[in-house]
Each structure stands twice: as C-alpha cells, then as structure tokens.
Amino acid sequence: MSSTKYKILVVDDEPDILELIEYNLKREGYTVVTASNGQEAVSTARKINPDLIILDIMMPKMDGIEACRIMRSMPEFKNTFMVFLTARSEEYSEIAGFNVGADDYIAKPIKPRALISRINAILRRNSKGEEVLDNKVEIADLVIDRETFLVYKNDEKIVLAKKEFELLYLLASRPGKVYTRETILKSIWEDSVVVTNRTIDVHIRKLREKIGDNYVSTVKGVGYKFEAS
C-alpha cells in the first residue's frame, strides 16, 4: 500500500510541533489530521479511523497515556498503530506507554528524517502486526544480510550463531523500537518451552561481545532496542 492511502492522526498541544509533523508527513504522501489533546484525539479517531496515531504524552484535559488506554479498549482500534511522542526521557514514561499498548516511542526534539523513517517502518507491517522485513539491513557501519546470514562491520565479516543473527536482525530492522522480552521470545524462539528470559540476556551479551556495546541498549523493565544513531 502506498503512503497516500495511509491516514495518520497527530496529537500534540504544541502548534509548532503539530505543524512540523503534519508538513513532513504530507510531503511523504500521507493524509494527516491533527488534534490538540487526548479528549480530542479519541473523538477524532472515532470519526476518521486512522491507520496510525502519534500521541504526545503530556497534554491538557487528557494525556496521551490515558487516550491510548481508552482507544486500545475499543475494538475499532485494536490493530491501529500508536506511537508516543514526548520530550520526557524518564524510563517510567516508556514503560507506561508500552503497558497501555504503544507500538513505538519517539523522543523530542523532532528530527524530520528520523521521524519519517520510523513511521514508514511501522506502516510496513502486515495486517497481523508483523513487520515485512527487507532481506538486507544497512545501518550505521553494519550490514546485516538475511539471505546469507552474514554480518559485516566496516566491511569485516562477523560470525554469529543463528539465534544471535535472528535477534540482531529483529532489533536492527526497526531502530529505536523497544522489543519486549515476550515479543523477542515469540519472534525468535516461537513456542519453545525451555527458553527463558535469561536466554535472551545471554544472547544479547554475546551480540555485544561480537559487534560492540553501542548498538543494542537495555530498557529496564521492558526489553531491548537497537540504537538508531
């Protein structure tokens, strides 16, 4: 589906932020509708049925966390993508956001190119909420080739075990997105009954030993993410 067929609701109480995001999303071909608080977001979303909602957390009348919680309780928004936008960097804000059903988390100040890249990636998922992944991810100084199961860092080959590769590929396919432990277990190990959270920790440690410590970061109480920078 092309971007012109996607409808995005952007919710923020700062007019300058709304204008910046709306301008850049429309340039990309998206249909954009705006709202200035959580109450207006819920009302507008019910009218337009957006494919994706970008919600600021700190807003008057109703904050983004509560608006997301309310919409996630409605059947019509069960599969709607919801992304939090906030200037707050406290860890508990991220945890609260994911606990009410957020799909991603974008920090202010807004970097238009990074925002567009993130939104494009989110909307590449299929109707089951799974991402349609490219065969090769090139990010920073890494090349991760899904077809050959090879990883290169500055053109130097790095040998990874199969599960290490799959874990790295999952995280790197959506830089900045926090993957919960439950999502990682389901995506990489499927229904194996012998796998525990400790297994993920071990694989993350091995990945860091092989590719470096600055690519995969821990979000305490939630999971892991690949650093976009």
Side-chain angles (χ1 to χ4, degrees):
M1 184 184 291
S2 67
S3 60
T4 56
K5 296 182 180 180
Y6 284 115
K7 191 182 304 179
I8 299 176
L9 173 61
V10 183
V11 190
D12 198 298
D13 62 325
E14 297 183 53
D16 291 346
I17 297 296
L18 281 181
E19 184 178 350
L20 175 66
I21 296 176
E22 181 180 14
Y23 172 76
N24 282 280
L25 289 177
K26 283 185 174 179
R27 282 189 61 187
E28 192 70 11
Y30 293 112
T31 298
V32 183
V33 179
T34 63
S36 59
N37 60 67
Q39 288 182 358
E40 188 180 348
V42 175
S43 174
T44 303
R46 298 187 73 174
K47 293 177 183 177
I48 69 170
N49 191 27
D51 299 288
L52 183 145
I53 302 173
I54 301 174
L55 280 164
D56 186 32
I57 286 188
M58 300 300 293
M59 295 185 293
K61 297 185 179 180
M62 180 187 294
D63 64 29
I65 298 290
E66 180 64 12
C68 181
R69 186 192 65 78
I70 290 173
M71 287 186 283
R72 278 292 187 230
S73 69
M74 300 177 180
E76 60 264 40
F77 300 119
K78 181 180 179 181
N79 295 317
T80 303
F81 296 114
M82 298 197 190
V83 177
F84 277 121
L85 178 71
T86 181
R88 300 178 65 182
S89 59
E90 292 92 337
E91 182 180 293
Y92 70 84
S93 295
E94 292 196 21
I95 295 174
F98 287 114
N99 282 344
V100 294
D103 294 288
D104 212 336
Y105 195 98
I106 299 174
K108 296 178 182 178
I110 301 300
K111 298 178 181 178
R113 291 181 62 184
L115 172 72
I116 294 300
S117 178
R118 189 80 63 85
I119 297 305
N120 289 343
I122 292 171
L123 288 171
R124 283 201 299 266
R125 301 183 194 184
N126 63 25
S127 60
K128 294 182 180 179
E130 298 169 342
E131 183 140 14
V132 180
L133 299 175
D134 298 326
N135 284 327
K136 183 181 292 186
V137 172
E138 298 184 32
I139 185 166
D141 52 4
L142 292 179
V143 176
I144 308 165
D145 192 326
R146 197 181 188 194
E147 289 189 343
T148 63
F149 271 71
L150 293 176
V151 176
Y152 294 88
K153 180 179 179 181
N154 293 322
D155 295 325
E156 181 178 345
K157 185 188 298 185
I158 299 174
V159 178
L160 300 179
K162 184 174 184 293
K163 293 300 183 185
E164 294 168 5
F165 178 90
E166 291 175 349
L167 178 56
L168 174 62
Y169 195 88
L170 175 69
L171 297 175
S173 65
R174 292 194 61 207
K177 171 180 169 55
V178 179
Y179 284 86
T180 65
R181 292 173 180 273
E182 291 75 15
T183 297
I184 293 173
L185 286 172
K186 183 177 180 181
S187 300
I188 305 301
W189 284 274
E190 298 178 341
D191 297 323
S192 175
V193 296
V194 298
V195 175
T196 65
N197 285 339
R198 176 59 179 163
T199 302
I200 298 177
D201 297 337
V202 170
H203 281 73
I204 291 291
R205 177 176 57 80
K206 290 181 178 178
L207 268 181
R208 288 169 173 162
E209 290 175 353
K210 294 178 179 180
I211 68 173
D213 295 332
N214 57 324
Y215 297 98
V216 179
S217 62
T218 303
V219 179
K220 293 182 181 178
V222 182
Y224 297 95
K225 67 178 178 177
F226 191 94
E227 291 294 343
S229 59

